[in-house]
Amino acid sequence: MPGHFEPLPGGGAAVALDDVEISIIRSLAVQLMELIGPGPAEDTSGDPLAGLFAEGPSEPPSDPVLRRLFPDAYGGPEEPASAEAAEERRAYSAEFRRYTENDLRAGKRENALAVIRSLDALAAAGEGGAVLKLSPQESRQWLGSLNDLRLAIGSRLEISDEDDSDLLFHLPDEDPRKPMVMAYLWLGGLQETLVSTLMP
């Protein structure tokens, strides 16, 4: 079990983590929450439905990591056929972002918070690490958060496809990117084994 998730009887997953691994994942999840930012301001009108209709931003984030976490819905590698088509694509993307980004951010915050809470509970259980046991719901939250963490790190490392990540295997130890590359690869292994535990 060390270093990878294994399925639990009845659903869910378990992984053995030491104190250093717990600290790394927790730190990354906290940084992810800080990057995503707080939710929309509380509505003080007393209307419980006001939050449901709060509009989000219509422009893509300026930070490249946030652009990767919240991509344009109508973007793509191919160039639009005309300036009119490009403007139409921007308008559709802005409209989609306005009505979905707040919920997407809330979901990513909730997943990262679930990771932090489960690691805090594990760390409180004893020193030297322990076996983290996740319910099926917690497993899905962890999977979402591991994916977001890898996207964030990959964006900072300017990884755009698998070929780029293969090149990172051969970085010299003195390269300042090496610790982030190691975290990226390790989280990828965790993510892959967690996916396999959730497969029917």
Side-chain angles (χ1 to χ4, degrees):
M1 182 180 311
H4 63 274
F5 280 95
E6 292 183 2
L8 287 174
V15 63
L17 297 171
D18 64 31
D19 287 341
V20 172
E21 293 168 330
I22 291 169
S23 176
I24 290 169
I25 296 172
R26 188 186 189 288
S27 174
L28 290 171
V30 167
Q31 291 175 54
L32 180 64
M33 284 189 66
E34 290 171 352
L35 181 67
I36 292 170
E42 288 285 323
D43 180 78
T44 57
S45 68
D47 181 0
L49 298 178
L52 292 175
F53 302 106
E55 291 186 8
S58 58
E59 294 299 318
S62 59
D63 185 303
V65 174
L66 289 174
R67 275 199 311 273
R68 184 70 199 262
L69 291 172
F70 305 103
D72 274 336
Y74 295 92
E78 73 285 344
E79 286 296 316
S82 66
E84 182 178 304
E87 185 55 39
E88 186 174 271
R89 178 190 279 184
R90 276 191 292 277
Y92 287 150
S93 290
E95 187 78 0
F96 186 83
R97 183 178 297 280
R98 185 175 12 263
Y99 294 110
T100 61
E101 188 167 314
N102 284 345
D103 287 342
L104 291 173
R105 283 181 183 260
K108 291 179 186 301
R109 272 192 300 275
E110 188 177 309
N111 289 344
L113 189 57
V115 168
I116 293 165
R117 286 180 175 153
S118 61
L119 291 174
D120 286 350
L122 187 65
E127 289 189 27
V131 175
L132 175 69
K133 294 181 179 177
L134 303 173
S135 69
Q137 170 63 22
E138 291 169 328
S139 296
R140 287 187 290 277
Q141 289 177 304
W142 264 75
L143 187 58
S145 203
L146 287 172
N147 186 60
D148 289 341
L149 289 172
R150 289 195 76 235
L151 286 173
I153 294 170
S155 181
R156 290 284 187 240
L157 292 171
E158 299 179 350
I159 296 172
S160 59
D161 59 32
E162 267 323 297
D163 293 338
D164 292 340
S165 63
D166 289 343
L167 297 173
L168 296 174
F169 275 111
H170 307 293
L171 285 178
D173 288 343
E174 60 274 8
D175 191 302
R177 298 172 296 169
K178 188 75 171 196
M180 290 307 288
V181 168
M182 298 306 293
Y184 178 81
L185 297 173
W186 174 57
L187 292 173
L190 284 176
Q191 182 182 14
E192 187 175 326
T193 60
L194 183 54
V195 166
S196 69
T197 69
L198 297 173
M199 301 286 275

